[in-house]
Every structure is written in structure tokens, then in C-alpha cells.
Amino acid sequence: ERGGFRAPPVLSAADLADLKELPGVQTLISQQHKVIVLAIGKARLFYEGNPVVFGGAVGAVLGEPKPGDVVTVTDHKGKQVGWGVYNPDSMYRVRMLWLDSIDGPAGDTRDVAATLVKRLAAAVAVRKSLQLPREDTNAYRLVNGEGDRMSGIVMDVYDKLVVFSSSARWVEVYKDEILKAIGAHFGSEYEVVWRLSRDRLRQDGWAPSAELEAADALAAEEKAAGGVGVVEEDMVVLEMGVKFAIAPRAGQKTGHYCDQRDTRHDLAKLCKGLQVLDSFCYSGGFGIAAALRGATSIDCVDSSAPALALADKNAKLNNVADKLTFTKADVEVFLDGAVLEGKQWDVIVLDPPKLAPRRDDLERAKNKYKRLNKAALQCVRPGGLLLSCTCSSAMAQTDELLPVIRQAAAEAGRQVTVVRTYGAASDHPVNPSFPEGRYLAGYLVAVQ
């Protein structure tokens, strides 16, 4: 069982005594280590590089570790697998920071700070291989959680600003060590903005301070009063030469969606001389990239007035405002209306927000995706293109989007051919031993 919450196993006194007598475990306990013994047959996952021990893989917990404690992980025979940070209140029971099969024997030391410096250096090396940053791009993802062996950590870099997103309890426990690791690499010329992914932190057993609870309550009041999303953009970044105003301190996520960078600019190459619909446009990324590549007109649709204001600002920054129009509307309602009016575009981008935050939401979300794709397909001119995306990990990991598109096409009376497939941009690496890290999928289909 890889997912879902499972309480720590309860073993008999005799079973515990037997485990403590295993030579490897006995040595670790004598050295004052707290130990997680994996269930039979589970160690192979971690020899192959899996960075997370789910609750279902735990066979025994020895030494009464507390949330955030460093624990040594062994197989069911007591052979050391590696070490990480423990959380009994999370389905991510141990987030591994060291794997003996990859990093070599851990020895007696468990130095979180030094290990984080090493992990960060490896992440930097990967981005350098991708030529990030470079002259035309100073917005990129530096750390992508499990893909960079730092589960619970996301770091985006915007020029000389590092925006840190914390989504795990252990990250808050080791905040000082993490900040020192960032400082060791970037030095004093970079500013660090520390942001909290509150929902994911709460799922991980984290409790906010009284001050944070008060701030959340104030934000909720402002949202109820209609002030949601009114954010001042305080810097401009470059993405393949395109300028984007971002709000790294208060905008969505870390202030900008770097994950669609490669897809935005790949699709833009196909839009010269065409009419484009950018639905769920947010900051106008797809539409502006298309305009710069020669699209004749772009209709941008979003339900958020602040998002449309940001998209308009970005269009003006890039001197393409004359090509873009902005409509505040529910995208499904907008598309249904366009179907009734017989309105069509050469290229349609369908990039909705997360519709299935949990697997329990999957069936409901699939129906929503199908309605959206059916209407969008009916609005694509024969011979045109539809880019359909999902950022719901439950959809991406199960490859559910393509069957949904196929069903939508059948109901819409359209024939579709997949011409390209997409995932998150290259600076969002996925650990092959942790497919749960895949969350973004996109299909470019030709429509007849």
C-alpha cells in the first residue's frame, strides 16, 4: 500500500524483542538511533531510489521517535536502507534524505544540514545541464520535491529572489538548517521568501501558530468582502524572452507557473496566422506566447478578474495588447455559449485548475473534464488543434485524460489524433521510483 494513512503497527512484546535482537537493529539501538523496520518485501522500493516510506511499508517503529526526529530505516532483517525524517501523523511516514544504495553507507552520522547542502548542489547541477538560468530565462524551478530528493520542498527562482514553498512538517522543524543550506549556495545577494502550503501542511499534521491563524482569518474576511486575489505584482521575470509580472510574496503558488513554460512556447510555434482561445488563461501565458509568435488574435477567458488584469498587464509588457481580448466568465459556460453561437477558433488551450485534488474526487472530475473537452472540441475549426491539460495528479498518474478526450470526441462527433504529449517543464524532474510525483499531463490533438 503506497498511499492512504495507516497507523503505526502494534506488535506484541515478543515480536518487538525479536526485532531488537536482529544484529543490525541491535547495533543501531546501542548507538541511540531510532529505527523504522520495513515490512517484509518493501525494502526493494528504497534500494531502487524511492524517497518516501508510506505507512503501509512500515513493519515496526523502535525507539519512540517524535515528529521531525531523524530515524534510521532498515529492511525486515535489520539491514540498513538509509535515514530520513519521521512523522507518525502523515501518510508520508518517513521522508528519506539518505539512501545507502545511492549515497553509500551512512555510517553513524545523521547530518540534516550537510545533506541538504548536498541535495541542493545536485539540484543546481541538474538546472545547469538544462541551461537554467540563461539570458532569456530567469524564472525556473530549482527544487521539485521528491524529484530532487527533498520531499516537501519546492523552490522557484525569480532572478535574485528564491521563493520557498513548504508543504511538510519536517520542513518547518528544520527551517533554520534549510535557510543555511540556501545561503551556502546563493549567498547574501539573493533574497529568500518563505511561503507555506497550508493545506498540505495541515494534512501532514502541522498546526499553525496563533499569529498565522489570525492572519488566515483576516484573509478569509477579505475574501468574503470581495478582495480575493487583489495582489500587487512586484517584479518582472523573463521566460524564453517573454516578460511576466509576478507576485512572489502573495500570488498563486510561488507567484508564477513555471511548469507550463516548455508547453507554452512549443505550442506558440504552431500559432502563426491563427486565431487562438486561451481558456483558464490566468496570467495569459499561452496567449501572449502565441501572439509573439504571430497569432492574429487571442481570446483570453478566466473567471478571475485579478487574473485577467494580470494577463492584460503582461500583454502590455510584451507589446501585444492589440492582439488580445479578455473575458471574465466561467469557462464551461463560455464554451457552451460559443457552441450555440457556432463560434470557432483554430487553436484552443484548455488548462483548468486542479479538478481532482484527491483520488476520491476523480470520477466527479472526469465528468467535468469530459464536458469541457466536448465543448472545446466543438469549437475547434476542422484541421485545428486542441491542447487539453490536467494538473490533477490523480488524473495524470492514471493516464485518465486521454480516454476522457476520446469519449468527449465521440460525443462531439469529432475525430482526434494525438500529435504531441506534454508534462511539466524539464526543470520539474520526476523520480522514476516515485511516480506519484507526476501531476501534469497534456495532449495536443488535431481535430477533424
Side-chain angles (χ1 to χ4, degrees), residues 247-262:
R249 292 169 178 81
Q252 293 185 25
K253 301 296 184 178
T254 65
H256 183 62
Y257 289 94
C258 296
D259 52 5
Q260 287 281 33
R261 178 185 60 248
D262 296 353

Side-chain angles (χ1 to χ4, degrees), residues 287-329:
I288 291 166
L292 288 168
R293 284 285 187 164
T296 57
S297 67
I298 302 95
D299 293 312
C300 297
V301 182
D302 202 285
S303 61
S304 166
L308 291 170
L310 177 58
D312 182 46
K313 180 172 184 175
N314 287 331
K316 291 171 181 173
L317 278 172
N318 291 280
N319 299 312
V320 293
D322 58 321
K323 291 186 176 184
L324 280 76
T325 61
F326 303 96
T327 302
K328 182 180 181 299

Side-chain angles (χ1 to χ4, degrees), residues 350-377:
L350 195 62
D351 185 24
K354 187 181 294 185
L355 300 180
R358 300 176 302 274
R359 287 191 180 271
D360 291 346
D361 302 316
L362 189 56
E363 288 306 313
R364 175 191 54 78
K366 283 165 62 176
N367 289 328
K368 175 79 168 178
Y369 280 113
K370 188 169 77 168
R371 293 196 304 272
L372 287 166
N373 278 274
K374 178 182 176 181
L377 287 163

Side-chain angles (χ1 to χ4, degrees), residues 39 64 99 108 187 200 204 210 240 265 300 316 328 354 397:
E64 299 182 355
L99 291 169
D108 295 336
R200 294 182 66 183
D204 212 47
M240 295 188 179
H265 295 275
C300 297
K316 291 171 181 173
K328 182 180 181 299
K354 187 181 294 185
Q397 291 164 19

